[in-house]
Amino acid sequence: AKNAGKDRVTVFDPALRQAQLERTRLTAGLRQAVEGGELVLNYQPVVDLAGGEIRAVEALLRWSPPGSRPVPPEVFIPIAEETGLIVPIGRWVLEQACADARRWHEQYGISVTVNVSGRQLREEDFTEMVLSTLTRYGLPRGALVLEITESMLLATTPAETRRVVAVLEALREHGVRIAMDDFGTGYSSLSYLRTLPVDILKIDRSFTTVLTEADHRTRAFTKAILELAASLNVATVVEGVELHEQAVLLQRMGCPLAQGYLFSPPVSGLQIDSLLSLNPWR
Ligand code: C2E
Ligand code: CA
Ligand code: CA
Ligand code: CA
């Protein structure tokens, strides 16, 4: 009887009801988003801390449903993952990023990095889809980086993990590099670093934010990650650099690459063109 009462409260909770309606509305909207041309990619530069050159750009998805404000990725990406819509959406993202990156890679030698969900990696034809897209746009080895997160492996069995590792290894053999995103935010970051074939570590913004606030533990931790990565021959990118002093400190600590509002927020492809020709941080 107690449980029934609880359920009833849940069903008629107006706030929860509102949230459910919103989810249903967003799911329906997302189904149209690819074909309706409502998706756009923005790009954020990844900058060499020593020389100031742009080395890569990260593709970040934006969704503006017709007649309403843009929906933040933190809201629609989880819905896309749960509904499986991330598969066609992710295919569109890769396609668009490769189309845009071709010219940037040819002229400036920069690579493009694309976020990939666990759901996509588990698709039977993922490797083939990535490789055929690279061929179609004539992108050479090294031009594409795929970003994965450790949370992607949270609920997987050892057999599934082995399959994911095999997929990543096959891609690497074809010159696709793998970056581990949001590094340091999960519970088993270090063990994943041992298990997964990774070329690049992206150190999460939560480290950067507290770095300059006399936080000795975070500083020691960040330094240890940077040293470990260097000895494993893994490149490091620090995320969320907003202040000049953070950039200076990180460079001194041995971090080669950074990304953040200090340099640029995510911007349109056209704005990337002008950033590449101006090269404002060199
Ligand atoms: P992420 O991959 O960790 O991307 C970095 C996020 O941090 C971006 O948020 C970016 O705008 C923001 N950011 C960059 N520099 C700074 C800074 O200096 N300060 C602060 N406060 N924030 C900064 P965004 O674009 O809202 O994306 C949020 C998340 O959505 C991404 O986190 C990623 O997990 C997901 N996402 C975005 N695009 C895609 C996509 O195409 N596919 C998938 N699967 N996920 C995506
Ligand atoms: Ca990312
Ligand atoms: Ca990240
Ligand atoms: Ca993130």
Side-chain angles (χ1 to χ4, degrees), residues 27-107:
T27 307
L30 261 184
R31 277 183 214 288
Q32 326 266 324
V34 175
E35 278 136 72
E38 299 163 22
L39 300 178
V40 171
L41 287 185
N42 276 357
Y43 295 92
Q44 187 177 36
V46 176
V47 177
D48 185 312
L49 278 171
E53 297 94 358
I54 299 175
R55 283 293 156 79
V57 289
E58 176 177 5
L60 292 157
L61 189 55
R62 299 290 176 259
W63 178 35
S64 304
S68 65
R69 302 152 155 278
V71 183
E74 271 95 355
V75 174
F76 74 81
I77 296 282
I79 296 177
E81 285 172 343
E82 283 157 35
T83 55
L85 285 166
I86 196 65
V87 173
I89 289 174
R91 224 180 278 136
W92 179 86
V93 168
L94 184 74
E95 184 89 25
Q96 187 62 47
C98 287
D100 290 339
R102 184 193 192 153
R103 195 178 63 253
W104 298 331
H105 190 271
E106 265 172 18
Q107 284 190 27

Side-chain angles (χ1 to χ4, degrees), residues 74-208:
E74 271 95 355
V75 174
F76 74 81
I77 296 282
I79 296 177
E81 285 172 343
E82 283 157 35
T83 55
L85 285 166
I86 196 65
V87 173
I89 289 174
R91 224 180 278 136
W92 179 86
V93 168
L94 184 74
E95 184 89 25
Q96 187 62 47
C98 287
D100 290 339
R102 184 193 192 153
R103 195 178 63 253
W104 298 331
H105 190 271
E106 265 172 18
Q107 284 190 27
Y108 302 98
I110 69 160
S111 46
V112 67
T113 89
V114 171
N115 292 283
V116 169
S117 296
R119 184 78 182 242
Q120 292 174 267
L121 268 182
R122 277 187 271 276
E123 285 288 292
E124 211 51 70
D125 65 345
F126 183 74
T127 309
E128 204 185 298
M129 191 270 293
V130 172
L131 296 180
S132 73
T133 309
L134 288 175
T135 308
R136 218 163 338 112
Y137 291 99
L139 282 174
R141 293 179 71 88
L144 177 68
V145 178
L146 297 180
E147 295 195 3
I148 60 170
T149 58
E150 55 185 86
S151 63
M152 175 194 95
L153 290 175
L154 272 186
T156 56
T157 64
E160 281 174 321
T161 302
R162 278 195 296 276
R163 222 188 77 76
V164 168
V165 171
V167 168
L168 299 179
E169 267 161 3
L171 287 165
R172 284 175 98 209
E173 268 162 38
H174 287 90
V176 176
R177 284 177 297 157
I178 309 298
M180 182 165 284
D181 204 356
D182 302 342
F183 187 77
T185 54
Y187 292 105
S188 26
S189 305
L190 286 180
S191 89
Y192 285 130
L193 183 55
R194 213 161 47 92
T195 326
L196 293 175
V198 178
D199 306 279
I200 300 160
L201 275 192
K202 298 192 74 171
I203 301 171
D204 191 68
R205 188 173 82 219
S206 55
F207 289 89
T208 315

